[in-house]
Coordinates of all heavy atoms in Angstrom, one line a residue:
M1 N -23.5 -21.9 -52.1 CA -24.2 -23.0 -51.4 C -24.3 -24.1 -52.4 O -24.3 -25.5 -52.0 CB -25.4 -22.7 -50.7 CG -25.9 -23.8 -49.8 SD -24.9 -24.5 -48.6 CE -24.7 -23.3 -47.3
D2 N -24.6 -23.8 -53.7 CA -24.8 -24.8 -54.6 C -23.5 -25.7 -54.7 O -23.6 -26.9 -55.1 CB -25.1 -24.4 -56.0 CG -26.7 -23.7 -56.0 OD1 -27.4 -24.3 -55.1 OD2 -26.9 -22.8 -56.8
R3 N -22.4 -25.0 -54.7 CA -21.1 -25.9 -54.8 C -21.0 -26.8 -53.6 O -20.6 -28.0 -53.8 CB -19.9 -24.9 -54.7 CG -19.4 -24.6 -56.1 CD -18.3 -23.6 -56.1 NE -17.0 -24.2 -55.3 CZ -16.1 -23.4 -54.7 NH1 -16.2 -22.1 -54.7 NH2 -15.1 -23.9 -54.1
I4 N -21.4 -26.5 -52.5 CA -21.3 -27.2 -51.3 C -22.2 -28.6 -51.5 O -22.0 -29.6 -51.3 CB -21.5 -26.6 -50.0 CG1 -20.5 -25.5 -49.8 CG2 -21.8 -27.5 -48.9 CD1 -20.7 -24.5 -48.6
L5 N -23.5 -28.3 -51.8 CA -24.5 -29.2 -52.2 C -24.2 -30.2 -53.1 O -24.2 -31.5 -53.0 CB -25.9 -28.7 -52.5 CG -26.6 -27.8 -51.3 CD1 -27.9 -27.3 -51.7 CD2 -26.8 -28.8 -50.1
N6 N -23.5 -29.7 -54.4 CA -22.9 -30.5 -55.4 C -21.9 -31.5 -54.8 O -21.7 -32.7 -55.1 CB -22.6 -29.8 -56.5 CG -23.7 -29.2 -57.3 OD1 -24.7 -29.7 -57.3 ND2 -23.4 -28.0 -58.0
S7 N -20.9 -30.9 -54.1 CA -19.8 -31.6 -53.4 C -20.3 -32.7 -52.6 O -19.8 -33.9 -52.6 CB -18.8 -30.6 -52.8 OG -17.9 -31.4 -52.1
I8 N -21.3 -32.4 -51.8 CA -21.9 -33.5 -50.8 C -22.5 -34.6 -51.7 O -22.3 -35.7 -51.5 CB -22.9 -32.9 -49.8 CG1 -22.1 -32.0 -48.8 CG2 -23.7 -33.9 -49.2 CD1 -23.1 -31.1 -48.1
N9 N -23.3 -34.2 -52.8 CA -23.9 -35.2 -53.6 C -22.8 -36.1 -54.3 O -23.0 -37.2 -54.4 CB -24.7 -34.5 -54.6 CG -25.6 -35.3 -55.3 OD1 -26.1 -36.4 -54.7 ND2 -26.1 -35.1 -56.5
Q10 N -21.6 -35.5 -54.6 CA -20.7 -36.2 -55.3 C -19.9 -37.2 -54.4 O -19.7 -38.3 -54.6 CB -19.6 -35.3 -55.9 CG -20.1 -34.6 -57.2 CD -19.0 -33.6 -57.7 OE1 -18.0 -33.4 -57.1 NE2 -19.5 -32.8 -58.9
K11 N -19.8 -36.8 -53.2 CA -19.1 -37.6 -52.3 C -20.2 -38.7 -51.7 O -19.6 -39.9 -51.6 CB -18.7 -36.9 -50.8 CG -17.8 -35.7 -51.0 CD -16.5 -36.4 -50.9 CE -15.4 -35.2 -50.8 NZ -14.1 -35.7 -50.7
F12 N -21.3 -38.5 -51.6 CA -22.4 -39.6 -51.4 C -22.3 -40.6 -52.5 O -22.4 -41.7 -52.2 CB -23.8 -38.8 -51.3 CG -24.9 -39.9 -51.4 CD1 -25.0 -40.8 -50.5 CD2 -25.7 -39.9 -52.4 CE1 -26.2 -41.6 -50.4 CE2 -26.8 -40.6 -52.5 CZ -26.9 -41.6 -51.5
K13 N -22.2 -40.1 -53.8 CA -22.3 -41.1 -54.9 C -21.0 -42.0 -55.0 O -21.0 -43.1 -55.3 CB -22.5 -40.4 -56.2 CG -24.0 -39.8 -56.2 CD -24.2 -39.1 -57.7 CE -25.6 -38.6 -57.7 NZ -25.7 -37.8 -59.0
K14 N -19.8 -41.3 -54.7 CA -18.6 -42.0 -54.9 C -18.1 -42.7 -53.7 O -17.5 -43.9 -53.8 CB -17.4 -40.9 -55.1 CG -17.4 -40.3 -56.5 CD -16.3 -39.4 -56.6 CE -16.4 -38.7 -58.0 NZ -15.3 -37.7 -58.1
N15 N -18.4 -42.4 -52.4 CA -18.0 -43.0 -51.3 C -19.3 -43.0 -50.1 O -19.0 -42.4 -49.1 CB -16.8 -42.3 -50.6 CG -15.7 -42.2 -51.5 OD1 -15.2 -43.1 -52.1 ND2 -15.3 -41.0 -51.8
P16 N -20.2 -43.6 -50.4 CA -21.3 -43.5 -49.6 C -21.1 -44.0 -48.1 O -21.8 -43.6 -47.2 CB -22.5 -44.2 -50.3 CG -21.7 -45.2 -51.1 CD -20.6 -44.5 -51.5
N17 N -20.2 -45.0 -48.0 CA -20.1 -45.6 -46.7 C -18.7 -45.1 -45.8 O -18.4 -45.6 -44.8 CB -20.0 -47.0 -46.9 CG -21.3 -47.7 -47.4 OD1 -22.3 -47.3 -46.9 ND2 -21.1 -48.5 -48.3
T18 N -18.2 -44.1 -46.4 CA -17.0 -43.4 -45.6 C -17.6 -42.4 -44.8 O -18.6 -41.8 -44.9 CB -16.0 -42.8 -46.6 OG1 -16.4 -41.8 -47.4 CG2 -15.3 -43.9 -47.5
V19 N -16.7 -42.1 -43.7 CA -17.3 -41.1 -42.7 C -17.3 -39.8 -43.2 O -16.3 -39.2 -43.7 CB -16.4 -41.2 -41.4 CG1 -16.7 -40.1 -40.4 CG2 -16.6 -42.6 -40.7
A20 N -18.4 -39.0 -42.9 CA -18.5 -37.6 -43.4 C -18.4 -36.7 -42.3 O -17.8 -35.6 -42.4 CB -19.9 -37.4 -44.2
V21 N -19.1 -37.0 -41.1 CA -19.3 -36.1 -40.0 C -18.9 -36.9 -38.7 O -19.6 -37.9 -38.6 CB -20.6 -35.2 -40.0 CG1 -20.7 -34.4 -38.8 CG2 -20.8 -34.5 -41.2
I22 N -18.1 -36.3 -37.8 CA -18.0 -36.9 -36.6 C -18.2 -36.0 -35.5 O -17.9 -34.8 -35.6 CB -16.4 -37.5 -36.4 CG1 -16.1 -38.4 -37.4 CG2 -16.2 -38.0 -35.1 CD1 -14.7 -38.8 -37.5
D23 N -18.9 -36.5 -34.4 CA -19.1 -35.6 -33.1 C -18.9 -36.6 -31.9 O -18.4 -37.7 -32.1 CB -20.5 -35.1 -33.2 CG -21.6 -35.9 -33.0 OD1 -21.5 -37.2 -32.8 OD2 -22.9 -35.5 -33.1
E24 N -19.2 -36.0 -30.7 CA -18.9 -36.7 -29.6 C -19.7 -38.0 -29.4 O -19.4 -38.9 -28.8 CB -19.2 -35.8 -28.4 CG -18.3 -34.7 -28.2 CD -18.8 -33.7 -27.4 OE1 -19.9 -33.8 -26.8 OE2 -18.0 -32.7 -27.1
S25 N -20.9 -38.1 -30.1 CA -21.7 -39.3 -29.9 C -21.6 -40.3 -31.1 O -22.2 -41.3 -31.0 CB -23.3 -38.9 -30.0 OG -23.6 -38.4 -31.2
G26 N -20.9 -39.9 -32.1 CA -20.6 -40.9 -33.2 C -20.3 -40.2 -34.5 O -19.8 -39.1 -34.5
S27 N -20.8 -40.8 -35.6 CA -20.5 -40.3 -36.9 C -21.6 -40.6 -37.9 O -22.6 -41.5 -37.6 CB -19.2 -40.9 -37.4 OG -19.4 -42.2 -37.6
F28 N -21.6 -39.8 -39.0 CA -22.5 -40.0 -40.1 C -21.6 -40.4 -41.2 O -20.6 -39.8 -41.5 CB -23.2 -38.8 -40.5 CG -24.6 -38.7 -39.7 CD1 -25.1 -37.3 -39.8 CD2 -25.2 -39.5 -39.0 CE1 -26.4 -37.1 -39.1 CE2 -26.5 -39.4 -38.5 CZ -27.0 -38.1 -38.5
T29 N -22.0 -41.5 -42.0 CA -21.4 -41.7 -43.4 C -22.0 -40.6 -44.3 O -22.9 -40.0 -43.9 CB -21.6 -43.1 -43.8 OG1 -23.0 -43.2 -44.0 CG2 -21.1 -44.2 -43.0
W30 N -21.4 -40.7 -45.6 CA -22.1 -39.8 -46.5 C -23.4 -40.1 -46.8 O -24.3 -39.2 -47.0 CB -21.1 -39.7 -47.8 CG -20.0 -38.9 -47.7 CD1 -18.7 -39.5 -47.5 CD2 -19.7 -37.5 -47.4 NE1 -17.7 -38.5 -47.3 CE2 -18.4 -37.3 -47.4 CE3 -20.6 -36.5 -47.5 CZ2 -17.8 -36.0 -47.2 CZ3 -20.1 -35.2 -47.4 CH2 -18.8 -34.9 -47.2
R31 N -23.7 -41.4 -46.9 CA -25.2 -41.9 -47.0 C -26.1 -41.4 -45.9 O -27.2 -41.0 -46.1 CB -25.2 -43.5 -47.2 CG -26.4 -43.9 -47.4 CD -26.5 -45.5 -47.4 NE -25.4 -46.2 -48.1 CZ -25.5 -46.4 -49.3 NH1 -26.5 -46.0 -50.1 NH2 -24.4 -47.0 -49.9
E32 N -25.6 -41.5 -44.7 CA -26.3 -41.2 -43.5 C -26.6 -39.7 -43.5 O -27.7 -39.3 -43.2 CB -25.8 -41.6 -42.2 CG -25.7 -43.1 -42.0 CD -24.9 -43.7 -41.0 OE1 -23.8 -42.9 -40.8 OE2 -25.2 -44.7 -40.3
L33 N -25.6 -39.1 -43.8 CA -25.6 -37.5 -43.9 C -26.7 -37.0 -44.9 O -27.5 -36.2 -44.7 CB -24.3 -36.9 -44.2 CG -24.3 -35.3 -44.2 CD1 -24.7 -34.7 -42.9 CD2 -22.9 -34.9 -44.8
Y34 N -26.6 -37.6 -46.1 CA -27.5 -37.3 -47.2 C -28.7 -37.9 -46.9 O -30.0 -37.0 -47.0 CB -27.0 -38.0 -48.4 CG -27.9 -37.7 -49.6 CD1 -27.7 -36.6 -50.3 CD2 -29.0 -38.5 -50.0 CE1 -28.5 -36.2 -51.5 CE2 -29.5 -38.4 -51.2 CZ -29.3 -37.1 -51.9 OH -30.2 -36.9 -52.9
T35 N -29.1 -38.9 -46.2 CA -30.3 -39.3 -45.8 C -31.1 -38.5 -44.9 O -32.2 -38.1 -45.0 CB -30.3 -40.9 -45.4 OG1 -29.8 -41.6 -46.5 CG2 -31.6 -41.5 -45.1
Y36 N -30.3 -38.1 -43.8 CA -30.8 -37.3 -42.7 C -31.1 -36.0 -43.4 O -32.3 -35.3 -42.9 CB -29.8 -37.2 -41.6 CG -30.3 -36.6 -40.3 CD1 -30.6 -37.5 -39.2 CD2 -30.4 -35.2 -40.2 CE1 -31.2 -36.9 -38.1 CE2 -30.9 -34.6 -39.0 CZ -31.2 -35.6 -37.9 OH -31.7 -35.0 -36.7
S37 N -30.4 -35.4 -44.0 CA -30.5 -34.1 -44.6 C -31.8 -34.1 -45.5 O -32.6 -33.0 -45.5 CB -29.4 -33.6 -45.5 OG -28.1 -33.5 -44.7
C38 N -32.0 -35.0 -46.3 CA -33.2 -35.1 -47.1 C -34.4 -35.3 -46.3 O -35.5 -34.7 -46.7 CB -33.1 -36.3 -48.2 SG -31.9 -36.0 -49.6
A39 N -34.3 -35.9 -45.2 CA -35.5 -36.2 -44.2 C -35.9 -34.8 -43.6 O -37.0 -34.5 -43.5 CB -35.2 -37.2 -43.2
V40 N -34.8 -34.1 -43.3 CA -35.2 -32.6 -42.7 C -35.7 -31.8 -43.8 O -36.8 -31.2 -43.6 CB -33.8 -32.0 -42.3 CG1 -34.1 -30.5 -42.0 CG2 -33.3 -32.7 -41.1
A41 N -35.2 -31.9 -45.0 CA -35.9 -31.0 -46.3 C -37.3 -31.6 -46.5 O -38.2 -30.6 -46.5 CB -35.1 -31.1 -47.4
N42 N -37.5 -32.8 -46.6 CA -38.9 -33.3 -46.6 C -39.9 -32.9 -45.6 O -41.0 -32.6 -45.8 CB -38.9 -34.8 -46.8 CG -38.3 -35.2 -48.1 OD1 -38.3 -34.4 -49.2 ND2 -37.7 -36.4 -48.2
K43 N -39.3 -32.8 -44.2 CA -40.2 -32.5 -43.3 C -40.5 -31.0 -43.4 O -41.7 -30.5 -43.1 CB -39.6 -32.7 -41.8 CG -40.3 -32.3 -40.6 CD -41.5 -33.0 -40.4 CE -42.2 -32.7 -38.9 NZ -43.4 -33.4 -38.8
L44 N -39.6 -30.2 -43.6 CA -39.9 -28.7 -43.9 C -41.0 -28.5 -44.9 O -41.8 -27.7 -44.8 CB -38.7 -28.0 -44.1 CG -37.6 -28.1 -43.0 CD1 -36.2 -27.4 -43.4 CD2 -38.1 -27.2 -41.8
K45 N -40.7 -29.3 -46.1 CA -41.8 -29.1 -47.2 C -43.2 -29.5 -46.7 O -44.1 -28.8 -47.0 CB -41.4 -30.1 -48.3 CG -40.1 -29.6 -49.2 CD -39.7 -30.5 -50.2 CE -38.4 -30.1 -50.8 NZ -38.0 -31.1 -51.9
A46 N -43.1 -30.6 -45.9 CA -44.4 -31.0 -45.4 C -45.2 -30.0 -44.5 O -46.3 -29.8 -44.4 CB -44.4 -32.3 -44.6
L47 N -44.3 -29.1 -43.9 CA -44.7 -28.1 -43.0 C -44.9 -26.8 -43.9 O -45.3 -25.8 -43.2 CB -43.7 -27.8 -41.8 CG -43.5 -28.9 -40.7 CD1 -42.3 -28.6 -39.9 CD2 -44.9 -29.1 -40.0
K48 N -44.8 -26.9 -45.2 CA -45.0 -25.7 -46.0 C -44.0 -24.7 -45.8 O -44.3 -23.5 -46.2 CB -46.5 -25.2 -45.7 CG -47.6 -26.1 -45.9 CD -47.8 -26.6 -47.3 CE -49.1 -27.5 -47.3 NZ -49.0 -28.7 -48.1
I49 N -42.8 -25.0 -45.5 CA -41.8 -24.1 -45.4 C -41.2 -24.0 -46.9 O -41.0 -24.9 -47.5 CB -40.6 -24.6 -44.4 CG1 -41.2 -24.9 -43.2 CG2 -39.4 -23.7 -44.5 CD1 -41.5 -23.7 -42.3
K50 N -40.9 -22.7 -47.2 CA -40.6 -22.4 -48.5 C -39.1 -21.9 -48.6 O -38.8 -21.4 -47.6 CB -41.6 -21.7 -49.4 CG -43.0 -22.1 -49.5 CD -43.9 -21.3 -50.1 CE -44.1 -20.0 -49.4 NZ -44.7 -20.0 -48.2
K51 N -38.5 -21.8 -49.8 CA -37.4 -21.0 -49.9 C -37.5 -19.6 -49.4 O -38.5 -19.0 -49.6 CB -36.8 -21.1 -51.4 CG -35.6 -20.3 -51.7 CD -35.2 -20.5 -53.2 CE -33.9 -19.8 -53.5 NZ -33.6 -19.9 -54.9
N52 N -36.4 -19.2 -48.7 CA -36.3 -17.8 -48.1 C -37.2 -17.8 -46.9 O -37.2 -16.6 -46.3 CB -36.7 -16.7 -49.1 CG -35.7 -16.7 -50.3 OD1 -34.5 -16.8 -50.1 ND2 -36.1 -16.3 -51.5
D53 N -37.8 -18.6 -46.4 CA -38.5 -18.7 -45.0 C -37.5 -18.7 -44.1 O -36.4 -19.5 -44.2 CB -39.7 -19.8 -45.0 CG -40.8 -19.5 -45.6 OD1 -41.0 -18.4 -46.4 OD2 -41.5 -20.5 -45.8
C54 N -37.7 -18.3 -42.8 CA -36.8 -18.4 -41.8 C -37.0 -19.7 -41.1 O -38.2 -20.0 -40.7 CB -36.9 -17.2 -40.7 SG -36.4 -15.8 -41.5
V55 N -36.1 -20.4 -40.7 CA -36.1 -21.7 -39.8 C -35.1 -21.6 -38.8 O -33.8 -21.3 -39.1 CB -35.7 -22.9 -40.8 CG1 -35.7 -24.1 -40.0 CG2 -36.7 -23.0 -42.0
S56 N -35.5 -21.9 -37.7 CA -34.6 -22.0 -36.4 C -34.1 -23.4 -36.2 O -35.0 -24.4 -36.2 CB -35.3 -21.4 -35.3 OG -34.5 -21.5 -34.1
I57 N -32.8 -23.7 -36.1 CA -32.4 -25.0 -35.7 C -31.8 -25.0 -34.3 O -30.9 -24.2 -34.0 CB -31.2 -25.4 -36.7 CG1 -31.7 -25.3 -38.2 CG2 -30.6 -26.7 -36.3 CD1 -30.7 -25.6 -39.2
E58 N -32.5 -25.6 -33.4 CA -32.1 -25.6 -32.1 C -31.4 -27.0 -31.6 O -32.2 -27.7 -31.1 CB -33.3 -25.3 -31.2 CG -33.8 -23.8 -31.5 CD -35.0 -23.4 -30.6 OE1 -35.3 -24.0 -29.5 OE2 -35.8 -22.5 -30.9
L59 N -30.3 -27.0 -32.0 CA -29.5 -28.3 -31.6 C -28.1 -27.9 -31.2 O -27.7 -26.8 -31.6 CB -29.4 -29.2 -32.9 CG -30.5 -29.9 -33.5 CD1 -30.3 -30.4 -34.8 CD2 -31.2 -30.9 -32.6
S60 N -27.6 -28.8 -30.3 CA -26.1 -28.4 -30.0 C -25.3 -28.7 -31.3 O -25.7 -29.4 -32.2 CB -25.8 -29.3 -28.8 OG -25.9 -30.7 -29.2
N61 N -24.0 -28.3 -31.2 CA -23.0 -28.7 -32.2 C -23.0 -30.2 -32.3 O -22.5 -30.8 -31.4 CB -21.8 -28.1 -32.0 CG -21.6 -26.6 -32.1 OD1 -22.6 -26.0 -32.8 ND2 -20.9 -25.9 -31.5
S62 N -23.6 -30.8 -33.5 CA -23.6 -32.2 -33.6 C -23.8 -32.5 -35.2 O -23.8 -31.7 -35.9 CB -24.7 -32.7 -32.8 OG -26.0 -32.2 -33.4
K63 N -23.6 -33.8 -35.3 CA -23.8 -34.3 -36.7 C -25.2 -34.0 -37.2 O -25.4 -33.7 -38.4 CB -23.4 -35.8 -36.9 CG -24.2 -36.7 -36.0 CD -23.7 -38.1 -36.1 CE -24.6 -39.1 -35.3 NZ -24.5 -39.0 -33.9
E64 N -26.0 -34.1 -36.4 CA -27.6 -33.7 -36.7 C -27.7 -32.3 -36.9 O -28.6 -31.9 -37.8 CB -28.4 -34.1 -35.5 CG -28.6 -35.7 -35.3 CD -27.5 -36.2 -34.3 OE1 -26.8 -35.5 -33.8 OE2 -27.4 -37.5 -34.2
F65 N -27.1 -31.5 -36.3 CA -27.0 -30.0 -36.6 C -26.5 -29.7 -38.0 O -27.2 -29.0 -38.8 CB -26.1 -29.3 -35.5 CG -26.1 -27.8 -35.8 CD1 -27.2 -27.0 -35.5 CD2 -24.9 -27.1 -36.2 CE1 -27.2 -25.5 -35.7 CE2 -24.8 -25.8 -36.4 CZ -25.9 -24.9 -36.2
I66 N -25.3 -30.4 -38.4 CA -24.8 -30.2 -39.7 C -25.8 -30.8 -40.7 O -26.1 -30.0 -41.7 CB -23.4 -31.0 -39.8 CG1 -22.4 -30.5 -38.9 CG2 -23.0 -30.9 -41.3 CD1 -22.0 -29.0 -39.0
A67 N -26.4 -31.9 -40.5 CA -27.3 -32.4 -41.4 C -28.7 -31.5 -41.6 O -29.2 -31.5 -42.7 CB -27.8 -33.8 -41.0
S68 N -29.1 -30.9 -40.5 CA -30.2 -30.0 -40.6 C -29.9 -28.8 -41.4 O -30.8 -28.3 -42.1 CB -30.5 -29.7 -39.1 OG -31.0 -30.8 -38.5
I69 N -28.7 -28.2 -41.2 CA -28.4 -27.1 -42.1 C -28.4 -27.4 -43.6 O -28.9 -26.8 -44.4 CB -26.9 -26.5 -41.6 CG1 -26.9 -25.9 -40.2 CG2 -26.4 -25.5 -42.6 CD1 -25.6 -25.6 -39.7
I70 N -27.8 -28.6 -43.8 CA -27.8 -29.1 -45.2 C -29.2 -29.3 -45.7 O -29.6 -29.0 -46.8 CB -27.0 -30.4 -45.4 CG1 -25.4 -30.1 -45.1 CG2 -27.1 -31.0 -46.7 CD1 -24.6 -31.2 -44.8
G71 N -30.1 -29.8 -44.8 CA -31.4 -30.0 -45.3 C -32.3 -28.7 -45.6 O -32.9 -28.7 -46.6
C72 N -31.9 -27.8 -44.7 CA -32.5 -26.4 -45.1 C -32.0 -25.9 -46.4 O -32.8 -25.4 -47.2 CB -32.1 -25.5 -44.0 SG -32.9 -25.7 -42.3
Q73 N -30.8 -26.2 -46.8 CA -30.3 -25.8 -48.0 C -30.9 -26.6 -49.2 O -31.1 -26.0 -50.3 CB -28.7 -25.8 -48.0 CG -28.2 -24.8 -47.0 CD -28.6 -23.4 -47.3 OE1 -28.6 -22.9 -48.6 NE2 -29.0 -22.7 -46.3
I74 N -31.0 -27.8 -49.0 CA -31.7 -28.7 -50.0 C -33.0 -28.1 -50.3 O -33.4 -28.1 -51.5 CB -31.8 -30.2 -49.7 CG1 -30.4 -30.7 -49.4 CG2 -32.7 -30.8 -50.4 CD1 -30.4 -32.2 -48.9
L75 N -33.7 -27.7 -49.3 CA -35.1 -27.1 -49.5 C -35.1 -26.0 -50.5 O -36.0 -25.8 -51.3 CB -35.7 -26.7 -48.0 CG -37.0 -26.1 -48.2 CD1 -38.1 -27.1 -48.5 CD2 -37.3 -25.6 -46.7
G76 N -34.1 -25.1 -50.4 CA -33.9 -24.0 -51.2 C -33.6 -24.2 -52.6 O -33.8 -23.6 -53.5

């Protein structure tokens, strides 16, 4: 997972305004994906969620779902 997070971080730094994720409702650029994912991680931290805690993500397959998964991994 660290490889994936490093890859996302590199893409964000090199091409922040290119499309990273597309779904039926629109898309996220690398900047938007990174920002949304960090917001999820920060919210989980505020809720005292720690590494190895179980988290349920109840979203349809969407760009927000992908960003939420990444946010959970950032937390760890």
Side-chain angles (χ1 to χ4, degrees):
M1 188 50 75
D2 287 338
R3 260 180 64 203
I4 293 170
L5 293 176
N6 286 336
S7 178
I8 291 168
N9 196 29
Q10 288 174 2
K11 295 279 189 180
F12 165 67
K13 288 179 181 177
K14 289 182 182 179
N15 303 303
N17 297 316
T18 58
V19 174
V21 179
I22 300 172
D23 71 5
E24 296 168 352
S25 68
S27 63
F28 274 161
T29 63
W30 286 106
R31 181 186 316 275
E32 292 167 328
L33 179 64
Y34 184 80
T35 301
Y36 193 102
S37 298
C38 287
V40 169
N42 289 333
K43 179 65 175 178
L44 293 173
K45 286 178 189 175
L47 294 170
K48 306 290 188 221
I49 304 295
K50 300 178 296 298
K51 182 177 181 177
N52 295 326
D53 285 351
C54 290
V55 175
S56 175
I57 301 172
E58 296 183 21
L59 294 170
S60 61
N61 290 337
S62 63
K63 60 188 185 289
E64 292 85 6
F65 179 72
I66 299 298
S68 297
I69 292 170
I70 294 167
C72 290
Q73 293 304 312
I74 290 171
L75 179 67

